[in-house]
Amino acid sequence: MSKRSLALREVYRLLEPGPVVLLSTAYEGRLDVMTQSWHTMMEFEPPIIGCIVSSANHTFGVLEKTRECVISIPTAELSKAVVGCGNTSGRSVDKFEKFHLTPLPASVVRAPLIAECHADLECRVSDASLKRRYNLFVLEVLKAWHKPYDGPLRTLHHRGRGHFMVAGKTIKLPSRMK
Amino acid sequence: MSKRSLALREVYRLLEPGPVVLLSTAYEGRLDVMTQSWHTMMEFEPPIIGCIVSSANHTFGVLEKTRECVISIPTAELSKAVVGCGNTSGRSVDKFEKFHLTPLPASVVRAPLIAECHADLECRVSDASLKRRYNLFVLEVLKAWHKPYDGPLRTLHHRGRGHFMVAGKTIKLPSRMK
């Protein structure tokens, strides 16, 4: 099923619930992807995301050099790939191949979308000034995609050490909150 | 049931899944609490949390002045109080009273724990230098509490506009991730 464009004002609704994400990069023709849970929305529109990437990660250096990435949101069905990408390094492993993830070309960045994920956010690093102090990259979402899905969305929320809470059931309360 | 001390090294396991939280403050003897979803872990130990609080919120000014707060994690049973605290302002409402939340004295900050929540993190603002640029308060957790619970933990994850995903079921995969 092909991906559809998603309005940027809707992006916070994907990340605010706190799902584990896959953060993909491309550098010198080589694709890589890491598992990531330490992120927060910082602004609604244009959507700004704060993302902590350890300087020990291969991705840290790639983000510094390319200042681009894609944040993709996996559903619960992808739990093995999520854990696999979190337990290996792009220095030695082609994770797209090893974990059967299918890269798709993005529209404005070189980093790839991931076919199996239900949403993808094309991002550029808008502020890298906090990377030394806090490993913090501030990202602006330039383009968002999602995949219509059947049934309730089930996302993964990492509790540490391979434990994931699965969020599925959604409740709705009267609210004026954005 | 009384709260028990939780080791600081375990704190990330509470916030990394991305639950909606209640952020409490105390200023000149007045308690207040806001609903908050834009947070991320920034360091494991001591636990550092990045927290976005809009400068339009009453809490922003209180955090500036007191440089202290408590982050409490509600379970799904508290959904009405969570939405209520997100739809009212501490400028005009005593939210603890209105939403039947019971403040308990904390150990190292003036802001209160919340009896009904399953975990509470006593925090001080360790870095307020990014509050103007990003509404970002960097918090250090000084003391953590949790409440043993029966059955699976169910937390709320805000998808915007009063829609909450409920995370409950937990799966475990072999992983070397922290």
Side-chain angles (χ1 to χ4, degrees):
Chain A
M1 193 179 297
S2 64
K3 308 241 180 179
R4 293 188 195 165
S5 181
L6 179 71
L8 292 182
R9 67 177 177 276
E10 298 292 323
V11 163
Y12 79 98
R13 306 189 71 190
L14 297 170
L15 283 190
E16 186 166 315
V20 65
V21 302
L22 296 173
L23 192 157
S24 298
T25 49
Y27 180 57
E28 294 186 339
R30 201 148 167 276
L31 306 181
D32 189 32
V33 50
M34 70 172 280
T35 297
Q36 217 279 349
S37 287
W38 288 15
H39 54 75
T40 179
M41 289 306 301
M42 298 178 75
E43 190 51 84
F44 287 106
E45 193 178 1
I48 303 291
I49 300 166
C51 202
I52 308 287
V53 177
S54 166
S55 56
N57 281 123
H58 180 60
T59 297
F60 186 97
V62 174
L63 272 179
E64 276 189 307
K65 288 177 196 122
T66 65
R67 296 184 69 101
E68 288 183 351
C69 65
V70 171
I71 291 178
S72 297
I73 304 178
T75 51
E77 292 71 22
L78 293 175
S79 59
K80 283 184 186 174
V82 166
V83 170
C85 290
N87 280 278
T88 49
S89 171
R91 289 188 191 94
S92 52
V93 172
D94 178 339
K95 300 196 210 178
F96 277 89
E97 184 176 290
K98 186 172 175 80
F99 302 113
H100 312 292
L101 297 171
T102 311
L104 299 174
S107 68
V108 292
V109 300
R110 285 199 189 84
L113 315 183
I114 299 177
E116 291 79 6
C117 286
H118 91 91
D120 310 86
L121 311 173
E122 301 188 34
C123 301
R124 74 176 173 87
V125 176
S126 60
D127 183 354
S129 66
L130 299 160
K131 70 185 176 188
R132 296 288 164 216
R133 190 163 21 149
Y134 290 122
N135 291 335
L136 172 63
F137 290 88
V138 180
L139 309 175
E140 179 180 346
V141 181
L142 304 173
K143 179 73 193 157
W145 302 93
H146 71 142
K147 194 162 62 168
Y149 46 87
D150 295 328
L153 178 63
R154 293 167 67 238
T155 51
L156 296 166
H157 301 255
H158 193 223
R159 295 203 71 201
R161 302 174 200 146
H163 294 260
F164 292 90
M165 301 178 84
V166 180
K169 181 186 165 198
T170 297
I171 60 175
K172 168 81 176 77
L173 284 87
S175 173
R176 296 186 303 274
M177 287 192 287
K178 190 162 177 178
Chain B
M1 193 179 297
S2 63
K3 308 240 181 181
R4 293 188 195 166
S5 180
L6 179 71
L8 293 181
R9 66 176 178 277
E10 298 293 322
V11 164
Y12 79 98
R13 305 189 71 189
L14 297 170
L15 283 190
E16 187 165 315
V20 66
V21 302
L22 296 173
L23 191 157
S24 298
T25 50
Y27 180 57
E28 295 186 339
R30 206 153 160 273
L31 305 183
D32 189 31
V33 51
M34 70 172 280
T35 298
Q36 217 279 349
S37 286
W38 288 16
H39 55 73
T40 180
M41 290 306 301
M42 298 178 76
E43 188 52 83
F44 287 105
E45 196 180 358
I48 304 291
I49 300 166
C51 202
I52 309 287
V53 176
S54 166
S55 56
N57 281 123
H58 180 60
T59 298
F60 185 96
V62 174
L63 272 180
E64 276 189 308
K65 288 177 198 123
T66 64
R67 298 183 69 102
E68 290 182 350
C69 64
V70 170
I71 291 179
S72 298
I73 305 177
T75 51
E77 291 72 21
L78 294 175
S79 60
K80 284 185 185 173
V82 166
V83 171
C85 290
N87 280 277
T88 50
S89 171
R91 288 186 194 95
S92 52
V93 173
D94 178 340
K95 300 195 207 176
F96 277 90
E97 184 177 290
K98 187 173 174 77
F99 302 112
H100 312 294
L101 297 171
T102 310
L104 299 175
S107 67
V108 291
V109 300
R110 284 199 191 83
L113 316 183
I114 299 178
E116 291 79 8
C117 286
H118 91 90
D120 309 87
L121 310 173
E122 300 187 34
C123 301
R124 72 176 174 88
V125 176
S126 61
D127 183 355
S129 66
L130 299 160
K131 70 185 176 188
R132 295 289 163 215
R133 190 162 22 148
Y134 290 122
N135 291 337
L136 173 63
F137 290 87
V138 180
L139 307 176
E140 178 179 346
V141 181
L142 304 173
K143 179 73 193 159
W145 302 93
H146 71 140
K147 195 163 61 169
Y149 46 88
D150 294 329
L153 178 63
R154 293 166 67 239
T155 52
L156 296 166
H157 302 257
H158 193 223
R159 295 202 71 202
R161 299 171 203 149
H163 294 260
F164 292 89
M165 301 178 82
V166 180
K169 182 186 164 196
T170 298
I171 59 175
K172 169 79 177 77
L173 285 87
S175 173
R176 294 187 302 274
M177 289 193 285
K178 189 162 177 177

